Every structure is written in structure tokens, then in C-alpha cells.
mmCIF file of all heavy atoms in Angstrom:
data_model
loop_
_atom_site.group_PDB
_atom_site.id
_atom_site.type_symbol
_atom_site.label_atom_id
_atom_site.label_comp_id
_atom_site.label_asym_id
_atom_site.label_seq_id
_atom_site.Cartn_x
_atom_site.Cartn_y
_atom_site.Cartn_z
ATOM 1 N N ASN A 1 -75.695 -58.639 19.395
ATOM 2 C CA ASN A 1 -75.219 -59.035 18.072
ATOM 3 C C ASN A 1 -74.209 -60.157 18.288
ATOM 4 O O ASN A 1 -73.135 -59.933 18.835
ATOM 5 C CB ASN A 1 -74.595 -57.844 17.352
ATOM 6 C CG ASN A 1 -74.190 -58.181 15.933
ATOM 7 O OD1 ASN A 1 -74.469 -59.264 15.435
ATOM 8 N ND2 ASN A 1 -73.518 -57.246 15.289
ATOM 9 N N TYR A 2 -74.575 -61.367 17.883
ATOM 10 C CA TYR A 2 -73.726 -62.535 18.118
ATOM 11 C C TYR A 2 -72.763 -62.725 16.960
ATOM 12 O O TYR A 2 -73.103 -62.503 15.797
ATOM 13 C CB TYR A 2 -74.595 -63.777 18.312
ATOM 14 C CG TYR A 2 -75.418 -63.702 19.572
ATOM 15 C CD1 TYR A 2 -76.681 -63.132 19.563
ATOM 16 C CD2 TYR A 2 -74.920 -64.170 20.784
ATOM 17 C CE1 TYR A 2 -77.437 -63.038 20.719
ATOM 18 C CE2 TYR A 2 -75.670 -64.076 21.944
ATOM 19 C CZ TYR A 2 -76.926 -63.515 21.904
ATOM 20 O OH TYR A 2 -77.658 -63.420 23.051
ATOM 21 N N THR A 3 -71.548 -63.140 17.292
ATOM 22 C CA THR A 3 -70.507 -63.339 16.296
ATOM 23 C C THR A 3 -70.538 -64.781 15.782
ATOM 24 O O THR A 3 -71.187 -65.651 16.364
ATOM 25 C CB THR A 3 -69.120 -63.062 16.905
ATOM 26 O OG1 THR A 3 -68.858 -64.055 17.911
ATOM 27 C CG2 THR A 3 -69.036 -61.670 17.510
ATOM 28 N N GLU A 4 -69.818 -65.023 14.714
ATOM 29 C CA GLU A 4 -69.694 -66.375 14.173
ATOM 30 C C GLU A 4 -69.012 -67.301 15.187
ATOM 31 O O GLU A 4 -69.301 -68.490 15.223
ATOM 32 C CB GLU A 4 -68.907 -66.352 12.856
ATOM 33 C CG GLU A 4 -69.647 -65.703 11.703
ATOM 34 C CD GLU A 4 -70.893 -66.458 11.268
ATOM 35 O OE1 GLU A 4 -70.877 -67.708 11.255
ATOM 36 O OE2 GLU A 4 -71.909 -65.796 10.964
ATOM 37 N N GLU A 5 -68.122 -66.749 15.992
ATOM 38 C CA GLU A 5 -67.457 -67.537 17.039
ATOM 39 C C GLU A 5 -68.449 -68.149 18.019
ATOM 40 O O GLU A 5 -68.182 -69.185 18.617
ATOM 41 C CB GLU A 5 -66.478 -66.652 17.829
ATOM 42 C CG GLU A 5 -65.032 -66.839 17.469
ATOM 43 C CD GLU A 5 -64.144 -66.041 18.407
ATOM 44 O OE1 GLU A 5 -63.911 -64.858 18.117
ATOM 45 O OE2 GLU A 5 -63.699 -66.614 19.430
ATOM 46 N N ALA A 6 -69.594 -67.475 18.177
ATOM 47 C CA ALA A 6 -70.612 -67.968 19.110
ATOM 48 C C ALA A 6 -71.147 -69.332 18.677
ATOM 49 O O ALA A 6 -71.457 -70.177 19.517
ATOM 50 C CB ALA A 6 -71.746 -66.966 19.237
ATOM 51 N N ILE A 7 -71.237 -69.573 17.377
ATOM 52 C CA ILE A 7 -71.733 -70.865 16.877
ATOM 53 C C ILE A 7 -70.804 -71.988 17.331
ATOM 54 O O ILE A 7 -71.254 -73.014 17.855
ATOM 55 C CB ILE A 7 -71.853 -70.847 15.337
ATOM 56 C CG1 ILE A 7 -72.849 -69.780 14.885
ATOM 57 C CG2 ILE A 7 -72.264 -72.233 14.817
ATOM 58 C CD1 ILE A 7 -72.800 -69.485 13.401
ATOM 59 N N GLU A 8 -69.506 -71.773 17.156
ATOM 60 C CA GLU A 8 -68.520 -72.777 17.575
ATOM 61 C C GLU A 8 -68.562 -72.978 19.091
ATOM 62 O O GLU A 8 -68.531 -74.102 19.588
ATOM 63 C CB GLU A 8 -67.116 -72.341 17.141
ATOM 64 C CG GLU A 8 -66.041 -73.327 17.513
ATOM 65 C CD GLU A 8 -64.651 -72.820 17.157
ATOM 66 O OE1 GLU A 8 -64.525 -72.034 16.194
ATOM 67 O OE2 GLU A 8 -63.697 -73.211 17.860
ATOM 68 N N ARG A 9 -68.657 -71.892 19.813
ATOM 69 C CA ARG A 9 -68.687 -71.957 21.278
ATOM 70 C C ARG A 9 -69.899 -72.755 21.759
ATOM 71 O O ARG A 9 -69.798 -73.603 22.631
ATOM 72 C CB ARG A 9 -68.720 -70.539 21.842
ATOM 73 C CG ARG A 9 -68.698 -70.434 23.338
ATOM 74 C CD ARG A 9 -67.334 -70.725 23.888
ATOM 75 N NE ARG A 9 -67.126 -70.093 25.177
ATOM 76 C CZ ARG A 9 -65.945 -69.788 25.661
ATOM 77 N NH1 ARG A 9 -64.862 -70.052 24.974
ATOM 78 N NH2 ARG A 9 -65.831 -69.236 26.835
ATOM 79 N N LEU A 10 -71.056 -72.493 21.163
ATOM 80 C CA LEU A 10 -72.271 -73.203 21.557
ATOM 81 C C LEU A 10 -72.189 -74.686 21.194
ATOM 82 O O LEU A 10 -72.674 -75.538 21.948
ATOM 83 C CB LEU A 10 -73.505 -72.549 20.922
ATOM 84 C CG LEU A 10 -73.841 -71.172 21.480
ATOM 85 C CD1 LEU A 10 -74.942 -70.513 20.643
ATOM 86 C CD2 LEU A 10 -74.245 -71.236 22.942
ATOM 87 N N GLY A 11 -71.557 -75.006 20.080
ATOM 88 C CA GLY A 11 -71.345 -76.414 19.721
ATOM 89 C C GLY A 11 -70.488 -77.111 20.756
ATOM 90 O O GLY A 11 -70.758 -78.254 21.152
ATOM 91 N N PHE A 12 -69.454 -76.436 21.205
ATOM 92 C CA PHE A 12 -68.569 -76.955 22.253
ATOM 93 C C PHE A 12 -69.355 -77.178 23.541
ATOM 94 O O PHE A 12 -69.255 -78.231 24.175
ATOM 95 C CB PHE A 12 -67.421 -75.959 22.465
ATOM 96 C CG PHE A 12 -66.324 -76.445 23.351
ATOM 97 C CD1 PHE A 12 -65.286 -77.211 22.851
ATOM 98 C CD2 PHE A 12 -66.323 -76.122 24.713
ATOM 99 C CE1 PHE A 12 -64.263 -77.654 23.680
ATOM 100 C CE2 PHE A 12 -65.316 -76.560 25.546
ATOM 101 C CZ PHE A 12 -64.273 -77.326 25.029
ATOM 102 N N ILE A 13 -70.180 -76.195 23.908
ATOM 103 C CA ILE A 13 -70.995 -76.291 25.123
ATOM 104 C C ILE A 13 -71.946 -77.482 25.023
ATOM 105 O O ILE A 13 -72.087 -78.259 25.970
ATOM 106 C CB ILE A 13 -71.758 -74.971 25.368
ATOM 107 C CG1 ILE A 13 -70.776 -73.860 25.771
ATOM 108 C CG2 ILE A 13 -72.842 -75.146 26.429
ATOM 109 C CD1 ILE A 13 -71.367 -72.460 25.759
ATOM 110 N N LYS A 14 -72.609 -77.637 23.872
ATOM 111 C CA LYS A 14 -73.549 -78.745 23.685
ATOM 112 C C LYS A 14 -72.852 -80.098 23.858
ATOM 113 O O LYS A 14 -73.390 -81.000 24.494
ATOM 114 C CB LYS A 14 -74.184 -78.670 22.298
ATOM 115 C CG LYS A 14 -75.311 -77.676 22.196
ATOM 116 C CD LYS A 14 -75.806 -77.485 20.786
ATOM 117 C CE LYS A 14 -76.401 -78.710 20.160
ATOM 118 N NZ LYS A 14 -77.056 -78.422 18.868
ATOM 119 N N LYS A 15 -71.662 -80.227 23.307
ATOM 120 C CA LYS A 15 -70.922 -81.486 23.439
ATOM 121 C C LYS A 15 -70.629 -81.794 24.894
ATOM 122 O O LYS A 15 -70.813 -82.917 25.353
ATOM 123 C CB LYS A 15 -69.607 -81.425 22.658
ATOM 124 C CG LYS A 15 -69.767 -81.557 21.183
ATOM 125 C CD LYS A 15 -68.433 -81.459 20.489
ATOM 126 C CE LYS A 15 -68.629 -81.370 18.977
ATOM 127 N NZ LYS A 15 -67.375 -81.129 18.279
ATOM 128 N N PHE A 16 -70.181 -80.798 25.620
ATOM 129 C CA PHE A 16 -69.811 -81.025 27.014
ATOM 130 C C PHE A 16 -71.041 -81.223 27.896
ATOM 131 O O PHE A 16 -70.987 -81.972 28.862
ATOM 132 C CB PHE A 16 -68.890 -79.918 27.532
ATOM 133 C CG PHE A 16 -67.458 -80.187 27.187
ATOM 134 C CD1 PHE A 16 -66.976 -79.963 25.914
ATOM 135 C CD2 PHE A 16 -66.596 -80.713 28.129
ATOM 136 C CE1 PHE A 16 -65.664 -80.247 25.583
ATOM 137 C CE2 PHE A 16 -65.272 -80.994 27.821
ATOM 138 C CZ PHE A 16 -64.800 -80.761 26.538
ATOM 139 N N GLN A 17 -72.137 -80.587 27.561
ATOM 140 C CA GLN A 17 -73.366 -80.854 28.316
ATOM 141 C C GLN A 17 -73.849 -82.267 28.023
ATOM 142 O O GLN A 17 -74.403 -82.925 28.891
ATOM 143 C CB GLN A 17 -74.440 -79.832 27.990
ATOM 144 C CG GLN A 17 -74.219 -78.531 28.714
ATOM 145 C CD GLN A 17 -75.492 -77.909 29.188
ATOM 146 O OE1 GLN A 17 -76.352 -77.605 28.385
ATOM 147 N NE2 GLN A 17 -75.600 -77.734 30.483
ATOM 148 N N GLY A 18 -73.597 -82.726 26.805
ATOM 149 C CA GLY A 18 -73.977 -84.077 26.422
ATOM 150 C C GLY A 18 -73.279 -85.153 27.224
ATOM 151 O O GLY A 18 -73.794 -86.259 27.385
ATOM 152 N N ILE A 19 -72.099 -84.851 27.746
ATOM 153 C CA ILE A 19 -71.400 -85.835 28.577
ATOM 154 C C ILE A 19 -71.663 -85.596 30.058
ATOM 155 O O ILE A 19 -71.047 -86.205 30.914
ATOM 156 C CB ILE A 19 -69.876 -85.880 28.301
ATOM 157 C CG1 ILE A 19 -69.202 -84.548 28.617
ATOM 158 C CG2 ILE A 19 -69.588 -86.319 26.889
ATOM 159 C CD1 ILE A 19 -67.678 -84.620 28.655
ATOM 160 N N GLY A 20 -72.593 -84.695 30.336
ATOM 161 C CA GLY A 20 -73.034 -84.514 31.718
ATOM 162 C C GLY A 20 -72.334 -83.431 32.506
ATOM 163 O O GLY A 20 -72.363 -83.446 33.728
ATOM 164 N N CYS A 21 -71.730 -82.465 31.831
ATOM 165 C CA CYS A 21 -71.073 -81.371 32.549
ATOM 166 C C CYS A 21 -72.111 -80.405 33.107
ATOM 167 O O CYS A 21 -73.065 -80.028 32.428
ATOM 168 C CB CYS A 21 -70.144 -80.599 31.620
ATOM 169 S SG CYS A 21 -68.610 -81.433 31.268
ATOM 170 N N SER A 22 -71.902 -80.004 34.333
ATOM 171 C CA SER A 22 -72.742 -78.979 34.948
ATOM 172 C C SER A 22 -72.306 -77.612 34.413
ATOM 173 O O SER A 22 -71.260 -77.492 33.769
ATOM 174 C CB SER A 22 -72.558 -79.006 36.466
ATOM 175 O OG SER A 22 -71.233 -78.607 36.797
ATOM 176 N N ILE A 23 -73.085 -76.600 34.709
ATOM 177 C CA ILE A 23 -72.725 -75.233 34.303
ATOM 178 C C ILE A 23 -71.395 -74.837 34.942
ATOM 179 O O ILE A 23 -70.542 -74.241 34.284
ATOM 180 C CB ILE A 23 -73.842 -74.227 34.664
ATOM 181 C CG1 ILE A 23 -75.119 -74.529 33.865
ATOM 182 C CG2 ILE A 23 -73.393 -72.794 34.452
ATOM 183 C CD1 ILE A 23 -74.991 -74.343 32.363
ATOM 184 N N ALA A 24 -71.210 -75.193 36.191
ATOM 185 C CA ALA A 24 -69.944 -74.864 36.877
ATOM 186 C C ALA A 24 -68.768 -75.547 36.177
ATOM 187 O O ALA A 24 -67.721 -74.923 35.971
ATOM 188 C CB ALA A 24 -70.018 -75.282 38.341
ATOM 189 N N GLU A 25 -68.939 -76.813 35.818
ATOM 190 C CA GLU A 25 -67.865 -77.514 35.104
ATOM 191 C C GLU A 25 -67.628 -76.893 33.736
ATOM 192 O O GLU A 25 -66.479 -76.755 33.306
ATOM 193 C CB GLU A 25 -68.218 -78.996 34.928
ATOM 194 C CG GLU A 25 -68.060 -79.814 36.168
ATOM 195 C CD GLU A 25 -68.461 -81.254 35.939
ATOM 196 O OE1 GLU A 25 -69.579 -81.504 35.447
ATOM 197 O OE2 GLU A 25 -67.643 -82.139 36.252
ATOM 198 N N LEU A 26 -68.709 -76.516 33.071
ATOM 199 C CA LEU A 26 -68.566 -75.872 31.763
ATOM 200 C C LEU A 26 -67.768 -74.589 31.875
ATOM 201 O O LEU A 26 -66.888 -74.321 31.046
ATOM 202 C CB LEU A 26 -69.942 -75.562 31.174
ATOM 203 C CG LEU A 26 -70.564 -76.666 30.340
ATOM 204 C CD1 LEU A 26 -72.035 -76.383 30.081
ATOM 205 C CD2 LEU A 26 -69.821 -76.840 29.039
ATOM 206 N N ARG A 27 -68.059 -73.797 32.902
ATOM 207 C CA ARG A 27 -67.304 -72.555 33.113
ATOM 208 C C ARG A 27 -65.815 -72.869 33.232
ATOM 209 O O ARG A 27 -64.976 -72.201 32.642
ATOM 210 C CB ARG A 27 -67.777 -71.849 34.376
ATOM 211 C CG ARG A 27 -68.757 -70.764 34.129
ATOM 212 C CD ARG A 27 -68.976 -69.912 35.370
ATOM 213 N NE ARG A 27 -70.397 -69.723 35.531
ATOM 214 C CZ ARG A 27 -71.166 -70.385 36.371
ATOM 215 N NH1 ARG A 27 -70.671 -71.256 37.203
ATOM 216 N NH2 ARG A 27 -72.457 -70.159 36.416
ATOM 217 N N GLU A 28 -65.520 -73.893 34.027
ATOM 218 C CA GLU A 28 -64.132 -74.287 34.258
ATOM 219 C C GLU A 28 -63.464 -74.765 32.963
ATOM 220 O O GLU A 28 -62.351 -74.356 32.636
ATOM 221 C CB GLU A 28 -64.127 -75.423 35.287
ATOM 222 C CG GLU A 28 -62.875 -75.525 36.107
ATOM 223 C CD GLU A 28 -63.051 -76.595 37.178
ATOM 224 O OE1 GLU A 28 -63.896 -76.419 38.079
ATOM 225 O OE2 GLU A 28 -62.321 -77.599 37.077
ATOM 226 N N VAL A 29 -64.157 -75.618 32.233
ATOM 227 C CA VAL A 29 -63.617 -76.158 30.980
ATOM 228 C C VAL A 29 -63.385 -75.031 29.981
ATOM 229 O O VAL A 29 -62.333 -74.967 29.333
ATOM 230 C CB VAL A 29 -64.568 -77.229 30.396
ATOM 231 C CG1 VAL A 29 -64.211 -77.563 28.961
ATOM 232 C CG2 VAL A 29 -64.547 -78.488 31.252
#
């Protein structure tokens, strides 16, 4: 059961992946 916070989190992840962040960098960020 995903929360509304998940939408914001995924938007943040998409932005950072868009600038070329790896999964490891995303974890760190």
C-alpha cells in the first residue's frame, strides 16, 4: 500500500535519474 509521499519521492528520483545519477548516488542523495 503506497502512500501519497511515494509520489513525491518518485518525482525526486526521476529528476535525479534525469541528470544521470546512478542507483548508488540516488541512495546517497
Side-chain angles (χ1 to χ4, degrees):
N1 185 6
Y2 294 89
T3 66
E4 290 295 322
E5 257 186 273
I7 299 167
E8 181 184 331
R9 182 75 155 204
L10 291 171
F12 189 85
I13 290 168
K14 280 173 63 171
K15 284 179 189 174
F16 275 77
Q17 281 218 300
I19 62 167
C21 284
S22 66
I23 295 295
E25 284 178 307
L26 271 167
R27 263 192 226 101
E28 207 174 295
V29 167

